[in-house]
């Protein structure tokens, strides 16, 4: 570890505040070792009392920590809960940095991890307050005692933590699993919501403001590597035949691995340290619940899980020091395992750009002048505006947003027929458009729809997107999904099994079954038209990407959020 020993020697307390110093730990901590917490007080002593605590007590402890480390911890009010009374706060733990010369831009942390607790408030059939406390105690240990282990040093100076301490304040304060609308927040996400039978799931996906806050935090931190929705098992004791430590969705490959590793560590602690023989931590796979971790995993592609702590042991009793210490160690060992996995799995790498693997054409539409639409993918699929290299009255025109197409003949961009555009298998095409009266956004054809290799059009009457493959419409979004005169992000994906269409990264319509390979052609790719010129696009296009592969959910999310943020500079809101 690269630690500034001379500086440390000058300080006597673990509360050292490094206001102007960055310690970057290039060496990976030995995460085969377990994280051991200091002795944590019972949940009726120390910093908390679960019998009387309200959400304000928890916020006050975070605020005390923030006051001690003001350059490290920042608080944001997301808004009040559904009752309109109780605040929902987010705390960001962002490692300090040192500017170099005039460059004061903070370097990104190695990892960003999002953690939240108490989504099920506080009740015997919901959450217990112990894991809300345990998360705080781990963060406090990291802040104050980072010198006592390589892992804590690494976590303190290399990980950005995004924390929602209480995701359901009303339930926390009122001894309820539900919010003030009697809705189970963790059944209110738009993953499997329509098929899930539960009277407490709300009137619609994201009908509750608490759910929308969680969505906002996760989507605005699209470079995070992990989201942990931390629960505790109500009033249940740890027993040998009922000891679930962690829930994951079936497609969360890394989360499964992390879960297996951390459960192994917890098995060692519960048996080897605490003497609780027969207890076996394990993972359970759920895919049917419209909960936060299934939504983040299945629709956003973010590695996510629902770790479950516990309120009591059969041996040690409810909310004891042993219970609180082991729960804190559970949180720490979960993070410890994420760190190691992130260093050995490339899919965990951050990406502050669009995904570039398999990108055959990238049109940013930011030239603002000239007759060439540049391809930034490196494949030289540059496009020519209109029929000639000169400026013609019928050419599309540059606007502050991109290119403006008026739907008339010769109002298009010719991108040629480069071999990289000759996609014949899986693909993902995304664009940012504002349609005034519909038409073809992109098409690779020669004389008619029937010879079209692939294309995307906006049906202005039905307000929907259609995907054309091998000369026919093979998939479409639901009616009304793409209104006129609004900028929208469109994503169309074909995986040789079905066609999926995403509007602002939300899937619209049932995936259309289609399994045929795409027939290669020598046709040129056109933006803003289908040949012949009677269905040209009428509206604006601000971005267009073409991939020769499918994108995982996390990649689609990163692309969407990157474009959403980038295009704000042009005054575009999607």
């Amino acid at each position: 570890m690269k630690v500034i020993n001379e500086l440390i020697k000058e300080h006597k307390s673990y509360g050292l505040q490094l206001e102007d110093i960055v310690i970057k730990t290039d060496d990976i901590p030995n995460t085969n070792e377990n994280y051991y917490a200091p002795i944590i007080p019972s949940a009726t002593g120390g910093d908390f009392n679960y019998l009387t605590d309200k959400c304000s007590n928890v916020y006050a402890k975070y605020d005390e920590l923030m006051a001690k480390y003001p350059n490290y911890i920042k608080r944001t009010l997301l808004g009040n809960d559904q009752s309109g009374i109780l605040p929902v706060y987010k705390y960001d733990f962002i490692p300090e940095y040192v500017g170099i010369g005039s460059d004061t831009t903070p370097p990104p942390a190695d990892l960003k991890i999002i953690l939240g607790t108490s989504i099920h408030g506080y009740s015997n059939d919901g959450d217990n307050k112990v894991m809300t406390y345990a998360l705080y105690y781990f963060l406090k240990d990291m802040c104050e005692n980072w010198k006592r282990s390589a892992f804590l040093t690494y976590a303190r100076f290399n990980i950005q933590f995004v924390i929602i301490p209480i995701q359901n304040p009303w339930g926390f304060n009122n001894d309820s699993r539900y919010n003030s609308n009697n809705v189970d927040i963790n059944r209110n996400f738009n993953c499997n919501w329509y098929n899930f039978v539960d009277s407490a799931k709300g009137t619609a996906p994201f009908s509750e403001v608490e759910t929308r806050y969680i969505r906002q935090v996760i989507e605005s931190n699209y470079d995070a590597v992990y989201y942990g929705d931390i629960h505790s098992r109500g009033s249940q004791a740890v027993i040998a035949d009922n000891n679930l430590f962690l829930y994951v969705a079936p497609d969360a490959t890394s989360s499964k691995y992390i879960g297996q590793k951390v459960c192994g560590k917890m098995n060692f602690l519960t048996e080897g340290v605490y003497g609780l023989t027969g207890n076996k931590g394990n993972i359970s796979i759920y895919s049917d619940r419209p909960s936060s971790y299934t939504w983040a995993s299945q629709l956003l592609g973010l590695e996510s899980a629902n770790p479950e702590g516990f309120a009591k042991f059969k041996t040690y009793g409810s909310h004891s020091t042993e219970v609180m210490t082991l729960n804190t160690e559970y949180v720490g060992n979960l993070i410890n395992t994420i760190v190691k996995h992130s260093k050995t799995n490339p899919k965990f790498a951050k990406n502050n750009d669009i995904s570039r693997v398999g990108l055959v054409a990238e049109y940013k539409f930011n030239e603002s002048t000239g007759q060439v639409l540049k391809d930034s993918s490196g494949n030289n699929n540059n496009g020519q505006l209109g029929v000639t290299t000169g400026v013609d009255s019928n050419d599309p025109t540059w606007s502050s947003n991109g290119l403006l197409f008026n739907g008339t003949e010769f109002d298009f961009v010719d991108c040629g027929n480069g071999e990289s555009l000759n996609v014949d298998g899986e693909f993902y095409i995304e664009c940012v458009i504002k349609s005034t009266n519909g038409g073809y956004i992109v098409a690779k054809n020669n004389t008619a729809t029937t010879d079209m290799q692939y294309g995307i059009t906006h049906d202005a009457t039905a307000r929907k997107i259609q995907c054309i493959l091998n000369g026919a419409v093979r998939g479409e979004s639901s009616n009304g999904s793409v209104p006129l005169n609004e900028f929208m992000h469109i994503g169309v994906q074909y995986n040789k099994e079905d066609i999926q269409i995403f509007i602002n990264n939300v899937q619209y319509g049932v995936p259309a079954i289609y399994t045929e390979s795409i027939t290669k052609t020598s046709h040129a790719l056109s933006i803003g038209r289908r040949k012949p010129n009677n269905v040209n696009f009428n509206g604006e296009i601000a971005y267009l990407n073409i991939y020769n592969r499918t994108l995982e959910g996390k990649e689609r999310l990163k692309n969407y959020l990157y474009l959403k943020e980038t295009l704000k500079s042009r005054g575009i809101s999607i």
Side-chain angles (χ1 to χ4, degrees), residues 117-132 167-168 172 176-177 229-235 306-308:
T117 68
S118 291
I119 200 171
H120 277 151
Y122 169 60
S123 67
N124 286 341
D125 64 343
D127 281 332
N128 195 286
K129 297 175 183 178
V130 292
M131 294 308 287
T132 299
Q167 298 176 110
N168 179 6
F172 188 93
S176 174
R177 177 186 176 95
D229 177 26
I230 302 174
H231 293 226
S232 57
R233 298 169 55 219
S235 62
N306 165 195
E308 294 270 354

Side-chain angles (χ1 to χ4, degrees), residues 356 359-363 374-382 420:
R356 310 206 74 81
L359 183 64
V360 300
E362 178 189 18
Y363 302 106
K374 296 177 183 177
D375 170 22
S376 301
S377 72
N379 290 309
N380 202 36
N381 294 310
N382 297 327
S420 61

Side-chain angles (χ1 to χ4, degrees), residues 20-250:
D20 299 309
I21 303 250
V22 170
I23 296 179
K24 290 295 288 182
T25 53
D26 296 327
D27 301 325
I28 302 171
N30 181 4
T31 51
N32 288 319
E33 298 178 357
N34 291 312
Y35 163 74
Y36 295 97
I39 296 175
I40 304 297
S42 74
T44 55
D47 290 325
F48 300 105
N49 186 339
Y50 81 97
L51 297 172
T52 58
D53 278 345
K54 304 298 183 184
C55 61
S56 58
N57 299 98
V58 176
Y59 293 147
K61 290 301 176 183
Y62 274 86
D63 290 347
E64 288 179 11
L65 206 58
M66 181 173 63
K68 192 173 183 180
Y69 304 99
N71 294 330
Y72 178 39
I73 305 171
K74 306 297 180 185
R75 187 184 76 175
T76 302
L77 175 64
L78 299 174
N80 286 343
D81 71 343
Q82 194 69 42
S83 73
I85 298 172
L86 300 173
V88 181
Y89 287 114
K90 170 177 71 80
Y91 291 82
D92 285 283
F93 291 66
I94 305 175
E96 300 93 332
Y97 68 96
V98 176
I100 300 176
S102 61
D103 183 6
T104 59
T105 303
D110 286 0
L111 301 174
K112 182 184 287 187
I113 297 172
I114 306 171
L115 300 172
T117 68
S118 291
I119 200 171
H120 277 151
Y122 169 60
S123 67
N124 286 341
D125 64 343
D127 281 332
N128 195 286
K129 297 175 183 178
V130 292
M131 294 308 287
T132 299
Y133 302 159
L135 176 59
Y136 165 80
Y137 278 124
F138 168 77
L139 294 168
K140 181 181 180 183
D141 186 31
M142 177 189 67
C143 288
E144 297 179 350
N145 302 322
W146 57 266
K147 290 180 292 184
R148 71 182 183 86
S149 80
F151 161 61
L152 286 177
T153 306
Y154 184 88
R156 170 63 178 83
F157 295 105
N158 294 275
I159 300 176
Q160 177 178 345
F161 292 97
V162 181
I163 306 295
I164 312 177
I166 302 178
Q167 298 176 110
N168 179 6
W170 196 92
F172 188 93
N173 278 16
N174 291 278
D175 300 348
S176 174
R177 177 186 176 95
Y178 310 103
N179 74 347
S180 60
N181 271 353
N182 204 33
V183 171
D184 184 337
I185 296 304
N186 211 31
R187 301 294 183 268
N188 190 234
F189 289 81
N190 72 333
C191 178
N192 308 311
W193 187 90
Y194 291 97
N195 296 324
F196 192 78
V197 179
D198 189 332
S199 61
K201 68 178 184 178
T203 57
F206 299 113
S207 62
E208 308 307 295
V209 68
E210 297 93 341
T211 319
R212 297 197 293 273
Y213 292 150
I214 297 169
R215 178 180 64 181
Q216 171 189 331
V217 169
I218 293 176
E219 289 189 346
S220 63
N221 289 282
Y222 61 91
D223 54 343
V225 299
Y226 192 89
Y227 165 61
D229 177 26
I230 302 174
H231 293 226
S232 57
R233 298 169 55 219
S235 62
Q236 298 179 51
V238 172
I239 55 179
D241 60 353
N242 186 17
N243 188 20
L244 297 177
F245 268 94
L246 199 128
Y247 295 100
V248 298

Side-chain angles (χ1 to χ4, degrees), residues 398-438:
W398 293 105
S399 70
S400 59
N401 297 323
L403 271 180
L404 180 63
F405 299 81
N406 61 22
T408 60
E409 189 176 12
F410 307 125
D411 186 28
F412 63 91
V413 178
D414 185 344
C415 299
N417 61 352
E419 182 57 29
S420 61
L421 296 173
N422 213 3
V423 177
D424 63 347
E426 298 180 344
F427 70 77
Y428 178 68
I429 301 175
E430 66 180 339
C431 57
V432 176
I433 66 162
K434 180 170 72 173
S435 177
T436 303
N437 196 31

